[in-house]
Amino acid sequence: MLHFNSTPFANPSTFFLMGIPGLEDLHIWISIPFCSMYIVALIGNTVIIFIIKTETVLHEPMFYFLSMLATTDLILSTSTLPKMLSIFWFNYHEINFHACLTQMFFIHAFSGVESGLLVAMALDRYVAICNPLRHSSILTNVVVAQVGTAALLRGLVLMTPHPFLVRRWPYCQTNVVPHTYCEHMAVVKLACADISINSLYSLAVIVLIVGTDVTCICLSYVYIFRTVFSLPSKDARLKTLSTCGSHVCVILTFYIPALFSFLTHRFSRHIPRHTHILLANMYLLVPPMLNPIIYGVRTKQIRECIIQLFTTKIS
């Protein structure tokens, strides 16, 4: 039985991550699918990055953005899974206060970066379908680098206040975080202070990022669909739409778990805590696992390069 510190203190040197409250006896079993998803995410995204870097035929804007997405997925999954597995396997619940703030920053910042990259990929699809003759002149390597940098800086800048706001509060009741990782609101709720500024800022950032990005993606696809359905041939319409299939699947795998996690965390008081936490974990685990699979299966160029790579290694 674990005994956590619940004595009064103002500046904790460590936090204790509980894992999944109510499901402690199932931690070992839960760790099996979590570890499997992490392994798939590591292998899949590493292969995607390697293939795009080594195959010159993939040196195009869409694949550059995909390599950025794969890198972001590696950072997201690696920032949470190793510590989570140490809780499940070794009952190592302790995390340094500053390490907790660092983990919090990486999780939330790179979630914002991933959302921005999905907008960039929608932009690429819009230009490729609506202005195909100008695609190479509009999305040059310099522009691609600038868009990727803008997505990175936006995520980093908007999420930088989070750890500083968390650090300023006194924690005078307990240092036990009822979560598998240092989720922002889970940590802030332990503070003995008015945390409304944290809650409002967090909500404002989420609405700003998700609202802006979803709007941009939807507008892109309105123009894309308008262009596609104006094509005279049914085969041409289907072929053009198929180039968007992978991106649409990736959008759904990212925003749907994120939306469920956000809604259950903010607005539902009747859903069990372990359900909240499992949804929050799915939000960070499922997209990094599925993204390389979706692009590897649905994108002909990547699929052919992967097959060629493994057949060459075998022979």
Side-chain angles (χ1 to χ4, degrees):
M1 180 66 67
L2 294 169
H3 298 281
F4 296 114
N5 186 2
S6 59
T7 56
F9 53 88
N11 297 298
S13 59
T14 59
F15 280 122
F16 288 87
L17 296 170
M18 286 184 67
I20 305 177
L23 299 179
E24 289 88 352
D25 293 339
L26 299 177
H27 276 177
I28 290 294
W29 296 105
I30 294 172
S31 71
I32 296 174
F34 279 20
C35 183
S36 300
M37 286 190 283
Y38 182 49
I39 291 172
V40 172
L42 283 180
I43 296 174
N45 287 293
T46 301
V47 169
I48 290 290
I49 295 170
F50 176 78
I51 289 291
I52 293 174
K53 180 179 180 180
T54 57
E55 298 292 338
T56 55
V57 70
L58 299 180
H59 290 179
E60 298 177 5
M62 180 179 74
F63 300 112
Y64 287 142
F65 288 134
L66 178 56
S67 66
M68 297 177 195
L69 186 69
T71 303
T72 302
D73 283 337
L74 285 175
I75 294 172
L76 271 177
S77 56
T78 302
S79 64
T80 55
L81 256 295
K83 179 58 185 177
M84 195 183 304
L85 292 177
S86 73
I87 296 172
F88 293 159
W89 289 346
F90 309 113
N91 286 326
Y92 187 70
H93 296 258
E94 185 174 331
I95 183 170
N96 180 272
F97 179 71
H98 293 96
C100 184
L101 297 185
T102 302
Q103 185 189 58
M104 178 191 304
F105 173 75
F106 272 86
I107 291 169
H108 295 291
F110 281 92
S111 294
V113 173
E114 179 145 350
S115 183
L117 290 174
L118 293 178
V119 176
M121 297 171 83
L123 171 66
D124 171 74
R125 291 299 85 205
Y126 163 76
V127 176
I129 293 173
C130 299
N131 295 283
L133 298 180
R134 299 181 58 200
H135 183 258
S136 60
S137 61
I138 294 175
L139 288 178
T140 62
N141 290 343
V142 174
V143 172
V144 170
Q146 290 174 342
V147 172
T149 302
L152 175 64
L153 290 178
R154 185 192 66 165
L156 297 181
V157 169
L158 288 179
M159 297 303 173
T160 295
H162 274 123
F164 289 101
L165 289 172
V166 173
R167 187 178 180 181
R168 62 182 295 199
W169 303 128
Y171 297 85
C172 55
Q173 294 181 6
T174 179
N175 61 345
V176 179
V177 181
H179 214 293
T180 54
Y181 58 85
C182 290
E183 196 272 335
H184 174 249
M185 290 307 299
V187 174
V188 167
K189 286 179 179 178
L190 304 180
C192 301
D194 181 7
I195 61 169
S196 57
I197 185 173
N198 289 74
S199 183
L200 290 173
Y201 181 76
S202 176
L203 181 61
V205 169
I206 291 172
V207 171
L208 175 64
I209 291 179
V210 176
T212 302
D213 292 354
V214 170
T215 300
C216 291
I217 291 171
C218 290
L219 286 174
S220 297
Y221 274 94
V222 167
Y223 287 107
I224 287 172
F225 289 144
R226 189 175 69 176
T227 301
V228 168
F229 288 113
S230 67
L231 296 174
S233 169
K234 180 180 178 180
D235 290 339
R237 291 196 293 268
L238 291 175
K239 184 177 180 180
T240 305
L241 282 176
S242 67
T243 64
C244 301
S246 299
H247 182 241
V248 171
C249 291
V250 167
I251 290 172
L252 295 177
T253 60
F254 178 76
Y255 285 112
I256 289 178
L259 181 62
F260 273 103
S261 177
F262 171 75
L263 291 177
T264 56
H265 186 75
R266 292 276 177 177
F267 302 112
S268 178
R269 303 286 183 182
H270 305 292
I271 295 179
R273 180 181 289 177
H274 63 263
T275 303
H276 288 282
I277 296 173
L278 286 172
L279 285 171
N281 288 325
M282 292 300 102
Y283 157 58
L284 294 177
L285 288 175
V286 172
M289 176 191 68
L290 289 182
N291 290 350
I293 296 175
I294 291 170
Y295 271 98
V297 171
R298 293 188 58 88
T299 307
K300 181 180 178 181
Q301 298 99 311
I302 292 180
R303 186 171 64 248
E304 290 177 347
C305 289
I306 292 175
I307 292 172
Q308 182 180 359
L309 172 66
F310 284 100
T311 53
T312 302
K313 293 291 185 181
I314 293 173
S315 59

